[in-house]
């Protein structure tokens, strides 16, 4: 009697972590900038795969490419392809040695932020084959298929997933982890040195490879024709396949697991087997455009929205004439992100608020400065962008920027790309203040000597402050804002996670005049009591910031914790 396969309920993220172990991946490199991507890295680490946090998407992709060129299997975990586009297009030309898979996560529902990129379109622009799993089981299976395709065709392969797919659980069947040693570096200068002299050959080889992959896609098990009723045939890929099956159980389907390059012949055969064709996809009409370009009339985004996630109800309404689903109630606005009690960012934002400067910040360090009571951030756009935004503004405003503009960046964002902008600003001598957060990242994240780094990049005026000393921090900010030229303020603080600073603070009710200054810090440990403000002792991190803003002297450190 055979042994029954072991099954486990796993999210898409866990399935990919497991797939990395079973597929013999030697390196997973990624930037865990959102919970679903952090879950992929954590799952791979739990499965015993070597996993590293990269400072940027590009660094993750290039590290994975390096591992591949050394003959090992590698997985890059990215929030999208745009941040690594130049490196990935070079990789498409230079090719992979060990299997190289680029996991690209899209967020059609905009649950993680307003930036809406469609990795399917970018994979096409970068000429990289694209696989699209539709559930956790397929995440595991298609990672294995992508590694195999990558090695056989010597190309990086994109595994495109959505945020929802990474978080939804399905039972997956476990195989055995199968570590593989790296084969080692092999010289291949004609492919790996991207000089103009090699360009024509490499471009022709890439073109030929995509044509051959399109032909392979016709018979590939990754692409599946399911013939049911003749009346309607739906071409779909990724998670939307599940919506189609639920909404239109009678419809025939062509499920594209290997969606780029499009297997045009397979789509034509499918179209001949049904009376009418529809394309169901989230976001942009990427498949629809290709199906139309192949000469196949179809329905698509004329009935389905580009914005937001699809659902079985929307698909049923668009294609089978069932009643339009009731417009969902607009979701309640998300709870403003709140910093923990004792977060050093609270002190920094309080100092920035008092200094009355315009603030451009990196997203990673913008909370709690986005919403009241400490709303000081005027712009927070992309990782590492703040120093470059300030540099650009200073370049055109000249002396008018003095005293007005602060660029706030976290250590991670600075290493992502902000450092390059600082080097340029130092060279040009423009005059914004760049505040580098130092130490606010949770324990375990990387640490660099930021003051030394800023000096090495050419900043002549660099000073360090402790953000917990509010008056000194505010004074330093004002002085730097008044100075001419670029200045860098390294704002040191300590993330309180896991370690509190001594005894909690408490309010002496008889001294409190209820002025509200402490409440305007937005510390979750502080609340309005009946007679006076009150501090929740167990939540208080003991940072002492509230005591520094209380002019009545009503707040002081209490008894030591038991
Ligand atoms: S700052 Fe001091 S006086 Fe004002 S409300 Fe808070 S505890 Fe009371
Ligand atoms: S000392 Fe004050 S500001 Fe700091 S954590 Fe405690 S209550 Fe919050």
């Amino acid at each position: 009697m055979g042994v029954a396969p072991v099954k486990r309920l796993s999210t898409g993220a866990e399935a990919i972590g497991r797939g990395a172990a079973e597929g013999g991946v030697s390196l997973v490199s990624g930037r865990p900038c959102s919970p679903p991507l952090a879950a992929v890295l954590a799952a791979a680490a739990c499965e015993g795969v070597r996993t590293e946090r990269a400072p940027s998407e590009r660094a993750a992709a290039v590290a994975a490419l390096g591992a591949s060129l050394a003959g090992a299997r590698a997985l890059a975990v990215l929030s999208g392809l745009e941040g690594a586009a130049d490196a990935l297009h070079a990789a498409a030309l230079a090719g992979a040695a060990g299997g190289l898979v680029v996991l690209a996560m899209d967020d059609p529902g905009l649950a993680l932020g307003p930036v809406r990129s469609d990795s399917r379109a970018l994979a096409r622009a970068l000429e990289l084959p694209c696989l699209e799993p539709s559930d956790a089981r397929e995440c595991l299976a298609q990672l294995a298929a992508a590694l195999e395709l990558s090695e056989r065709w010597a190309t990086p392969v994109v595994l495109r997933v959505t945020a929802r797919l990474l978080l939804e659980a399905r039972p997956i069947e476990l195989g055995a982890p199968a570590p593989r040693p790296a084969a080692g570096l092999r010289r291949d200068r004609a492919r790996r040195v991207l000089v103009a002299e090699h360009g024509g050959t490499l471009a022709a080889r890439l073109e030929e490879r995509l044509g051959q992959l399109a032909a392979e896609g016709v018979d590939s098990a990754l692409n599946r024709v399911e013939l049911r009723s003749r009346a309607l045939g739906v071409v779909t890929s990724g998670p939307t396949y599940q919506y189609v099956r639920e909404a239109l159980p009678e419809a025939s389907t062509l499920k594209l697991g290997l969606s780029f390059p499009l297997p045009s012949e397979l789509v034509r055969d499918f179209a001949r087997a049904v009376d009418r064709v529809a394309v169901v996809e989230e976001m942009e009409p990427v498949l629809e455009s290709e199906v139309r370009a192949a000469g196949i009339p179809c329905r698509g985004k004329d009935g389905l929205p580009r914005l937001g996630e699809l659902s079985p109800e929307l698909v049923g309404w668009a294609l089978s004439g069932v009643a339009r689903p009731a417009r969902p109630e607009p979701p309640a606005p998300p709870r403003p992100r709140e910093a923990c009690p004792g977060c050093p960012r609270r002190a920094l934002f309080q100092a920035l608020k008092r200094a009355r400067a315009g603030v451009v910040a990196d997203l990673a360090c913008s909370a709690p400065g986005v919403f009241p009571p400490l709303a000081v951030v005027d712009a927070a756009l992309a990782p590492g962008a703040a120093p470059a935004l300030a540099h650009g503004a200073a370049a055109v405003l000249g002396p008018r920027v003095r005293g007005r503009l602060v660029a706030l960046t976290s250590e991670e964002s600075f290493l992502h790309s902000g450092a390059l902008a600082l080097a340029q600003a130092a060279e040009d001598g423009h005059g914004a203040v760049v505040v580098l957060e130092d130490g606010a990242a949770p324990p375990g994240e990387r640490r660099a000597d930021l003051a030394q780094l800023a000096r090495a990049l050419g900043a002549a005026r660099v000073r360090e402050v402790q953000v917990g000393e509010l008056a000194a921090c505010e004074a330093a900010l004002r002085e730097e804002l008044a100075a001419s030229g670029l200045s860098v303020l390294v704002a040191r603080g300590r993330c309180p996670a896991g370690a509190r600073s001594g005894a909690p603070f408490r309010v002496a009710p008889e001294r409190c005049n209820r002025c509200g200054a402490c409440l305007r810090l937005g510390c979750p440990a502080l609340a309005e009591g009946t007679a006076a403000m009150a501090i929740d002792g167990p939540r208080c991190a003991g940072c002492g910031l509230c005591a520094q803003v209380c002019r009545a002297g009503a707040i002081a450190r209490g008894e030591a914790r038991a």
Side-chain angles (χ1 to χ4, degrees):
M1 204 168 78
V3 180
V6 178
K7 290 194 175 183
R8 185 176 77 187
L9 189 66
S10 297
T11 61
E14 290 162 345
I16 286 165
R18 181 69 186 186
E22 293 183 11
V25 168
S26 296
L27 177 68
V28 178
S29 184
R31 183 166 168 266
C33 56
S34 66
L37 295 179
V40 174
L41 291 180
C46 275
E47 298 287 354
V49 182
R50 181 186 173 136
T51 303
E52 64 174 31
R53 292 172 61 99
S56 69
E57 262 75 20
R58 191 176 188 280
V62 175
L65 175 61
S68 164
L69 295 183
R73 287 186 159 187
L75 175 66
V77 177
L78 313 182
S79 60
L81 299 176
E82 58 273 23
D86 64 332
L88 288 173
H89 195 235
L93 288 163
L100 174 56
V101 176
V102 181
L103 179 89
M105 183 194 73
D106 291 339
D107 177 26
L110 304 181
L112 304 172
V115 176
R116 201 172 151 262
S117 72
D118 192 328
S119 297
R120 301 171 308 149
L122 277 161
R124 283 155 173 79
L126 299 173
E127 302 182 275
L128 294 171
C130 181
L131 269 61
E132 294 187 63
S134 66
D135 61 19
R137 269 179 306 231
E138 288 193 357
C139 284
L140 180 69
Q142 290 199 10
L143 176 54
L147 287 164
E148 188 274 327
L149 267 183
S150 169
E151 280 173 359
R152 193 154 47 82
W153 291 97
T155 176
V157 172
V158 172
L159 188 67
R160 187 263 187 178
V161 295
T162 62
R164 181 182 291 280
L165 172 57
L166 288 181
L167 299 177
E168 277 184 354
R170 287 271 195 288
I172 63 168
E173 207 168 284
L174 303 185
R180 293 175 170 229
L185 289 163
R186 285 181 51 193
R187 187 170 284 156
D188 188 353
R189 289 175 177 151
R191 293 188 64 161
R192 307 272 148 76
V193 182
L194 300 187
V195 290
E197 290 83 345
H198 297 159
T201 313
L202 289 173
R205 189 180 291 162
L206 177 54
E207 206 56 37
E208 186 186 357
R209 183 168 73 208
L210 288 173
Q212 290 168 339
L213 265 164
E216 178 172 315
V218 173
D219 297 316
S220 168
L222 291 164
N223 297 327
R224 200 167 69 226
V225 173
E226 299 169 357
L227 287 176
R228 300 180 192 90
S229 159
R230 259 202 78 90
L232 175 66
V234 179
V235 180
T236 188
S237 63
T240 48
Y241 168 77
Q242 311 289 354
Y243 305 152
V244 172
R245 291 295 298 123
E246 188 176 334
L248 308 166
E250 300 303 320
S252 296
T253 49
L254 168 53
K255 178 184 179 303
L256 295 172
L258 174 58
S259 64
F260 178 76
L262 184 78
S264 303
E265 278 313 311
L266 183 64
V267 184
R268 283 197 195 93
D269 287 348
F270 179 68
R272 281 192 281 268
V274 295
D275 294 338
R276 65 191 173 104
V277 174
V279 177
V280 175
E281 59 192 322
E282 285 177 325
M283 306 182 87
E284 296 305 305
V286 174
L287 280 177
E288 181 187 339
S289 306
E290 290 185 336
V291 169
R292 286 184 193 278
I296 302 163
C298 63
R299 290 200 59 196
K301 290 295 173 185
D302 52 336
L304 287 164
R306 289 183 173 193
L307 197 61
E309 290 180 303
L310 295 184
S311 65
E313 293 74 23
L314 270 173
V315 173
W317 164 70
L319 294 176
S320 72
V322 298
R324 185 184 178 117
R327 279 188 195 283
E329 291 291 320
R335 207 169 138 218
R337 282 184 286 170
E338 194 177 64
C340 306
C343 175
R345 286 176 181 151
R346 182 170 291 106
L348 183 56
F349 281 116
Q350 174 71 6
L352 286 165
K353 187 177 174 184
R354 287 182 174 178
R356 295 177 186 276
V359 177
V360 289
D362 282 323
L363 278 172
C365 58
S366 57
V370 176
F371 300 104
L374 289 177
V376 295
V377 174
D378 300 302
L381 303 178
L389 287 170
H391 165 67
V396 295
L397 292 175
R400 282 187 288 159
V401 89
R402 189 184 300 173
R404 291 176 185 274
L405 190 58
V406 170
L408 173 61
T409 186
S410 67
E411 179 175 348
E412 188 176 12
S413 297
F414 188 61
L415 296 176
H416 177 285
S417 52
L420 302 178
L422 183 72
Q424 191 179 6
E427 194 178 326
D428 293 356
H430 292 316
V433 176
V434 176
V435 175
L436 299 180
E437 266 192 344
D438 189 359
E445 294 191 7
R446 69 170 51 76
R447 299 272 186 267
D449 185 335
L450 295 181
Q452 201 178 6
L453 184 54
R455 287 189 191 99
L457 290 168
R461 197 177 166 95
V462 179
R463 65 191 286 186
E464 299 174 52
V465 287
Q466 290 292 337
V467 289
E469 294 163 15
L470 191 57
C473 181
E474 189 186 332
L477 261 175
R478 287 186 192 280
E479 281 171 30
E480 295 312 312
L481 280 163
S484 63
L486 172 75
S487 58
V488 174
L489 196 64
V490 178
R492 293 202 189 287
R494 192 174 57 84
C495 171
R500 293 161 190 261
S501 302
F505 278 66
R506 59 180 292 279
V507 178
E510 67 283 4
R511 290 193 171 190
C512 174
N513 59 23
R514 300 178 69 90
C515 70
C518 55
L519 282 186
R520 288 194 287 275
L521 293 171
C523 174
L526 262 160
E528 196 164 0
T530 44
M533 302 305 155
I535 290 176
D536 180 352
R539 294 191 78 188
C540 173
C543 71
L545 183 63
C546 52
Q548 294 180 58
V549 300
C550 177
R551 293 189 176 172
I555 304 179
R557 201 178 283 281
E559 298 296 314
R561 295 171 209 272

